[in-house]
Amino acid sequence: ERRQFAEAILPRAVLVVEGATEAAMFATASTVMEQSLGTKAYSHFDIAGVSVFDAGGEGSAPIYGPFFKGLGKPAFCMIDKPRQARTTDADAKLADFQRFWESPERGIEALVAKELDETVLRRFLNMVKARSDYPAHVGTATDGLSVEQVRDLVRAVLEARKGNLYGYAALLIAECQSAAELPCSIRTVLEEIHK
């Protein structure tokens, strides 16, 4: 936490996310954006001075709105669709962010599985199935799977390998060969922060 706070105080801006999965995923998506669009059209988070801050879990991101506002730091936030209605206190704290986005899905795994194109999802499944840490209990992709079955399998794989220990969400995003292939919600956040 101390390292994260130090890294969040030094840059020009901060993106607060709910967990390690999202933090790794946004860093990788920023790389895809830069490689796809070029440095004149998009600056990678590292170059632009944007730090990704892992709030530590679902529902924990709002508390950092007042903190970063108090520092005078431009802060952005992306949260999952809450499992229950947010409190007025949480809403007030979210309002302290310069901008925040709420996912239409209850987890980042469901969001990316829904928004990514089938070809990206299949590339990912074909790449990870040979890994020694692949969660075999969720099944593996075959050519006969429907698009919805592929989406369900990707979500199950990501949920089984959630967090920064495995990095599966970042591996999935790395399968995007251009900014156009990134999940729309993630690309929107990156574009808005870049502006």
Side-chain angles (χ1 to χ4, degrees):
E1 279 186 348
R2 284 186 225 166
R3 180 186 54 78
Q4 270 206 123
F5 277 116
E7 289 177 359
I9 290 170
L10 297 174
R12 293 173 53 200
V14 178
L15 171 62
V16 177
V17 295
E18 291 184 315
T21 298
E22 292 88 340
M25 188 190 63
F26 269 103
T28 303
S30 187
T31 299
V32 171
M33 289 281 285
E34 182 187 54
Q35 290 173 346
S36 173
L37 302 175
T39 56
K40 290 185 180 184
Y42 178 83
S43 296
H44 190 280
F45 275 1
D46 290 343
I47 303 301
V50 178
S51 177
V52 181
F53 186 88
D54 172 2
E58 184 180 335
S60 57
I63 64 173
Y64 295 101
F67 173 77
F68 288 117
K69 183 178 181 181
L71 291 176
K73 180 79 53 186
F76 305 90
C77 179
M78 182 168 183
I79 59 174
D80 290 338
K81 181 179 181 179
R83 296 186 191 283
Q84 52 192 336
R86 279 194 311 267
T87 65
T88 54
D89 181 55
D91 284 337
K93 289 175 179 173
L94 284 170
D96 282 338
F97 285 102
Q98 186 164 329
R99 177 94 194 266
F100 83 90
W101 296 268
E102 181 178 293
S103 169
E105 302 296 327
R106 288 220 159 93
I108 196 68
E109 300 82 8
L111 177 71
V112 296
K114 180 178 180 180
E115 291 189 357
L116 281 169
D117 188 75
E118 176 189 5
T119 57
V120 176
L121 299 175
R122 287 187 187 274
R123 281 196 305 255
F124 166 74
L125 290 172
N126 285 328
M127 185 267 297
V128 296
K129 70 182 177 185
R131 287 177 54 113
S132 62
D133 62 354
Y134 182 84
H137 67 279
V138 301
T140 55
T142 63
D143 291 337
L145 292 181
S146 70
V147 176
E148 284 310 309
Q149 289 171 318
V150 167
R151 292 187 191 290
D152 290 343
L153 179 57
V154 167
R155 188 176 65 251
V157 168
L158 293 179
E159 288 172 353
R161 293 297 179 254
K162 192 174 179 76
N164 61 359
L165 179 61
Y166 299 102
Y168 270 60
L171 291 172
L172 172 58
I173 296 300
E175 287 299 313
C176 295
Q177 296 175 351
S178 69
E181 284 191 341
L182 287 170
C184 180
S185 297
I186 304 307
R187 190 174 64 243
T188 298
V189 170
L190 294 173
E191 289 169 345
E192 289 295 317
I193 292 173
H194 178 77
K195 288 178 191 172

